[in-house]
Amino acid sequence: MERKTGLILALDVTDREEAVKISEKVAGYVDAIKIGYPLVLSTGMDMISKLSEYAPIIADFKVADIPNTNRLICEQVFKAGADAVIVQGFTGHDSLEAAVKLAKEQNKDIYVVTEMSHPGALDFMQDVGEGIAKMAADAKASGVVAPATRPERVTEIRKIIGSELSIISPGVGAQGGTASDVIKAGADWVIVGRSIYQSEDPAMAAKKLVDEMKEFI
Ligand code: O7E
């Protein structure tokens, strides 16, 4: 994924027309659009190719299965037109490697969830986040997902993965994180949903975030 603005839209709406309208409006400000279960379950897999007219698509299915099933899922998602798939890391190295192998064969990207951005991630995930980051680097994934709500954790995860892997970071705005803070902490992209798609003016909301990050990118 090429970094121009540092912004990824999380398009968690459930209406087809609204999804297309918002994508059209913000296309000039985002490097990718992340879509997941809310949109795909309500509108269908063909939304992936439809929205890829506006930006590269990151399919957020947080894939978490045995290696063979991970591969089968990623195959379908890439076939539908996605450029990247998000997988969970807690399933372990073999499940991740199956997804990365397929992605590399098809010149696509896999991003691995380390520690999530919500408070409940402290119950279990934070303890294993650094191990997952190391595994993602060993498996040569394209990058990891790390929390904008805890910029200090992004800095820790950056130390573990080095400069080869990217960090994409959700939790800005509605969850309390700040775009410029998490970019300064070591993230390459912020992933922003509600602050953009629930705004009266999604393009303006996206532009503000891009302007805020500009000097740190
Ligand atoms: O809070 P919002 O509305 O800005 O949306 C954030 C998006 O990022 C939303 O789609 C949510 O599912 C996702 N997300 C998190 O909020 N926290 C995480 O730790 C991980 C994700 C995520 O997208 O994981 C894959 C990138």
Side-chain angles (χ1 to χ4, degrees):
M1 185 165 49
E2 192 190 345
R3 187 167 73 161
K4 292 189 202 135
T5 65
L7 180 61
I8 296 169
L9 170 67
L11 192 51
D12 295 323
V13 298
T14 53
D15 179 80
R16 188 182 181 89
E17 278 170 27
E18 190 186 0
V20 172
K21 211 183 288 172
I22 293 170
S23 299
E24 260 171 9
K25 286 182 180 159
V26 306
Y29 300 109
V30 300
D31 289 333
I33 298 172
K34 180 183 85 74
I35 71 176
Y37 295 112
L39 184 58
V40 171
L41 291 177
S42 53
T43 65
M45 280 290 277
D46 68 314
M47 270 315 262
I48 295 178
S49 67
K50 174 69 195 155
L51 296 182
S52 68
E53 292 170 21
Y54 303 102
I57 300 297
I58 301 176
D60 180 9
F61 294 131
K62 297 193 179 69
V63 181
D65 218 308
I66 61 167
N68 187 57
T69 310
N70 268 11
R71 182 179 57 78
L72 292 168
I73 295 169
C74 290
E75 238 165 35
Q76 292 307 314
V77 181
F78 291 141
K79 199 164 131 196
D83 299 277
V85 176
I86 289 168
V87 305
Q88 287 287 10
F90 61 73
T91 45
H93 71 281
D94 48 353
S95 293
L96 174 59
E97 284 160 12
V100 170
K101 181 170 182 288
L102 178 78
K104 290 208 184 299
E105 284 163 10
Q106 302 197 10
N107 206 16
K108 308 275 188 179
D109 293 311
I110 296 291
Y111 293 96
V112 186
V113 179
T114 57
E115 167 187 327
M116 293 185 75
S117 57
H118 61 309
L122 303 183
D123 294 347
F124 302 106
M125 290 191 94
Q126 189 171 76
D127 286 348
V128 295
E130 292 174 21
I132 291 174
K134 164 98 173 52
M135 179 184 69
D138 290 345
K140 300 196 184 329
S142 299
V144 300
V145 183
T149 47
R150 293 178 215 103
E152 71 286 359
R153 296 291 295 158
V154 171
T155 301
E156 280 309 305
I157 287 167
R158 171 58 75 198
K159 280 184 204 156
I160 292 165
I161 63 173
S163 56
E164 287 286 295
L165 277 73
S166 302
I167 298 180
I168 61 176
S169 187
V172 167
Q175 297 181 53
T178 305
S180 50
D181 283 353
V182 74
I183 294 291
K184 281 189 265 181
D188 298 288
W189 280 277
V190 293
I191 300 171
V192 183
R194 286 164 286 181
S195 305
I196 297 175
Y197 68 72
Q198 289 181 347
S199 162
E200 299 259 300
D201 187 343
M204 186 50 68
K207 181 182 184 308
K208 273 193 189 151
L209 287 160
V210 170
D211 288 344
E212 178 193 327
M213 292 187 289
K214 212 174 255 168
E215 65 180 291
F216 308 109
I217 281 187

